[in-house]
Amino acid sequence: MRRLFYKGILADTIEIRGADAHHLMHVMRAKPGQEVIVVDDENQVARMEMTRFTSDAVTMELVERLDADTESPIQLGLAMCLLKADKMDFVVQKAVELGVNCIVPVASHNCVVRYDAKKAKQRQQRWQKIADEAAKQCGRTALVKVMPIESLKDFLCHAWYEDDMDSEFLFCYENEENVSVRDCLQRTTSERYMLLIGPEGGFTLEEAEAVVKAGGQSVTLGPRILRAETAAVAGLSIVQYEKGDLGS
């Protein structure tokens, strides 16, 4: 069943406008009596029936409220160094499916791609659209925010969290040989994690030192060299398996 995210709080009657209304009317060719799943800004979920169509809005009536929270018990962020377009698209989609709460695109020294301000904004918008569609497809009860592209230096200079919740910053580093992600996770009881993944060319020594100085825990994903997009999926999966709800 089609899933929509509603900007507001679910009531007995709501109106859907904008891109979602256009998609329902002109792509899905929806008819009165058909039902969709709607998630609101407070992660409430309901089954709604489409009852009325106008030129720019779809009216829906509440059928049933659902107890269907699919969010992970942990907060998980992904800081992903920029990859070629199709690979970055893939990472954004899979990260949402694996339960991340936010995605930070990071520009580091060895990134193959470079964007000017206009292109960077366009890419962020594209990734946000991919993230929104992935959230609908996989049954998330919260949308995932894709942040603007920022340099690695800027990323390390600000806190990615805003309160005092205990957090872990995991730095997946190709030259780390001793500490595995699993080893690190088994030593912590944190409920929030940020995972930093490098670009196709890896991190420079200076960047690696800066990350560690900023509080990043250097970890390895194993003895084999993984492609950057593989490392992102593997790292997120390990964190969700050890601390979240993957496989539960």
Side-chain angles (χ1 to χ4, degrees), residues 71 76-78 92 95-103 140 143-144 236 240:
E71 296 307 300
L76 179 58
L78 173 65
V92 169
V96 173
E97 292 177 17
L98 288 167
V100 301
N101 302 103
C102 71
I103 299 171
R140 292 286 299 264
L143 292 172
V144 176
L236 293 172
Q240 286 287 29

Short mmCIF file of all heavy atoms in Angstrom, two decimals, residues 71 76-78 92 95-103 140 143-144 236 240:
data_model
loop_
_atom_site.label_atom_id
_atom_site.label_comp_id
_atom_site.label_asym_id
_atom_site.label_seq_id
_atom_site.Cartn_x
_atom_site.Cartn_y
_atom_site.Cartn_z
N GLU A 71 10.96 2.65 13.43
CA GLU A 71 12.25 3.31 13.65
C GLU A 71 13.14 2.50 14.58
O GLU A 71 12.67 1.83 15.50
CB GLU A 71 12.03 4.71 14.19
CG GLU A 71 11.32 5.64 13.21
CD GLU A 71 12.00 5.68 11.85
OE1 GLU A 71 13.18 6.07 11.79
OE2 GLU A 71 11.35 5.31 10.85
N LEU A 76 21.22 6.92 14.41
CA LEU A 76 22.37 6.57 13.57
C LEU A 76 22.52 7.56 12.43
O LEU A 76 21.59 7.77 11.65
CB LEU A 76 22.18 5.15 13.02
CG LEU A 76 23.26 4.59 12.10
CD1 LEU A 76 24.62 4.59 12.79
CD2 LEU A 76 22.89 3.18 11.65
N GLY A 77 23.68 8.19 12.37
CA GLY A 77 23.97 9.13 11.29
C GLY A 77 25.07 8.59 10.39
O GLY A 77 25.94 7.84 10.84
N LEU A 78 25.03 8.97 9.13
CA LEU A 78 26.07 8.60 8.17
C LEU A 78 26.70 9.85 7.59
O LEU A 78 26.01 10.67 6.98
CB LEU A 78 25.48 7.76 7.04
CG LEU A 78 26.43 7.44 5.88
CD1 LEU A 78 27.58 6.55 6.35
CD2 LEU A 78 25.69 6.80 4.71
N VAL A 92 22.70 6.66 -0.43
CA VAL A 92 21.59 7.36 0.21
C VAL A 92 20.39 6.44 0.35
O VAL A 92 19.78 6.34 1.42
CB VAL A 92 21.22 8.63 -0.58
CG1 VAL A 92 19.91 9.23 -0.07
CG2 VAL A 92 22.34 9.67 -0.48
N ALA A 95 21.14 3.59 2.90
CA ALA A 95 21.27 4.11 4.26
C ALA A 95 19.90 4.33 4.89
O ALA A 95 19.68 4.03 6.07
CB ALA A 95 22.07 5.41 4.26
N VAL A 96 18.97 4.86 4.10
CA VAL A 96 17.60 5.06 4.61
C VAL A 96 16.97 3.72 4.93
O VAL A 96 16.34 3.55 5.99
CB VAL A 96 16.76 5.84 3.58
CG1 VAL A 96 15.29 5.89 4.03
CG2 VAL A 96 17.30 7.24 3.39
N GLU A 97 17.14 2.74 4.07
CA GLU A 97 16.58 1.41 4.32
C GLU A 97 17.17 0.79 5.59
O GLU A 97 16.49 0.03 6.30
CB GLU A 97 16.85 0.49 3.13
CG GLU A 97 16.09 0.88 1.87
CD GLU A 97 16.45 -0.01 0.68
OE1 GLU A 97 17.02 -1.10 0.90
OE2 GLU A 97 16.16 0.38 -0.46
N LEU A 98 18.43 1.11 5.88
CA LEU A 98 19.10 0.56 7.06
C LEU A 98 18.86 1.38 8.32
O LEU A 98 19.44 1.08 9.36
CB LEU A 98 20.60 0.42 6.78
CG LEU A 98 20.96 -0.71 5.81
CD1 LEU A 98 22.40 -0.59 5.34
CD2 LEU A 98 20.74 -2.07 6.47
N GLY A 99 18.02 2.41 8.25
CA GLY A 99 17.56 3.07 9.45
C GLY A 99 18.30 4.29 9.91
O GLY A 99 18.16 4.69 11.08
N VAL A 100 19.10 4.94 9.06
CA VAL A 100 19.79 6.15 9.51
C VAL A 100 18.79 7.26 9.77
O VAL A 100 17.68 7.28 9.23
CB VAL A 100 20.85 6.64 8.48
CG1 VAL A 100 21.89 5.58 8.22
CG2 VAL A 100 20.19 7.12 7.20
N ASN A 101 19.19 8.20 10.63
CA ASN A 101 18.36 9.37 10.93
C ASN A 101 18.78 10.60 10.14
O ASN A 101 17.98 11.51 9.93
CB ASN A 101 18.42 9.68 12.42
CG ASN A 101 17.97 8.51 13.27
OD1 ASN A 101 18.79 7.81 13.86
ND2 ASN A 101 16.68 8.27 13.33
N CYS A 102 20.06 10.66 9.74
CA CYS A 102 20.53 11.78 8.95
C CYS A 102 21.71 11.35 8.10
O CYS A 102 22.42 10.38 8.44
CB CYS A 102 20.92 12.97 9.83
SG CYS A 102 22.42 12.73 10.79
N ILE A 103 21.89 12.04 6.98
CA ILE A 103 23.00 11.77 6.07
C ILE A 103 23.72 13.09 5.82
O ILE A 103 23.09 14.09 5.46
CB ILE A 103 22.51 11.18 4.74
CG1 ILE A 103 21.79 9.85 4.97
CG2 ILE A 103 23.67 11.00 3.77
CD1 ILE A 103 21.09 9.30 3.75
N ARG A 140 9.33 3.36 6.50
CA ARG A 140 9.79 4.17 7.62
C ARG A 140 8.63 4.99 8.20
O ARG A 140 7.67 5.32 7.51
CB ARG A 140 10.91 5.13 7.16
CG ARG A 140 12.22 4.46 6.76
CD ARG A 140 13.01 3.96 7.95
NE ARG A 140 13.41 5.00 8.86
CZ ARG A 140 14.61 5.61 8.85
NH1 ARG A 140 15.50 5.29 7.94
NH2 ARG A 140 14.91 6.53 9.75
N LEU A 143 10.97 10.62 8.11
CA LEU A 143 11.81 10.97 6.97
C LEU A 143 13.25 11.20 7.43
O LEU A 143 13.50 11.51 8.60
CB LEU A 143 11.29 12.22 6.28
CG LEU A 143 9.95 12.08 5.55
CD1 LEU A 143 9.45 13.44 5.09
CD2 LEU A 143 10.07 11.12 4.36
N VAL A 144 14.18 11.04 6.51
CA VAL A 144 15.61 11.18 6.81
C VAL A 144 16.11 12.48 6.18
O VAL A 144 15.91 12.70 4.99
CB VAL A 144 16.40 9.98 6.26
CG1 VAL A 144 17.90 10.18 6.47
CG2 VAL A 144 15.92 8.69 6.91
N LEU A 236 26.93 0.35 8.37
CA LEU A 236 25.60 0.62 8.94
C LEU A 236 24.92 -0.67 9.38
O LEU A 236 24.26 -0.71 10.42
CB LEU A 236 24.74 1.34 7.91
CG LEU A 236 25.18 2.76 7.53
CD1 LEU A 236 24.33 3.27 6.36
CD2 LEU A 236 25.06 3.71 8.72
N GLN A 240 23.60 -1.54 13.19
CA GLN A 240 22.20 -1.86 13.44
C GLN A 240 22.03 -3.28 13.97
O GLN A 240 21.13 -3.54 14.77
CB GLN A 240 21.37 -1.68 12.16
CG GLN A 240 21.10 -0.24 11.78
CD GLN A 240 20.07 0.44 12.69
OE1 GLN A 240 19.92 0.11 13.86
NE2 GLN A 240 19.38 1.41 12.15
#
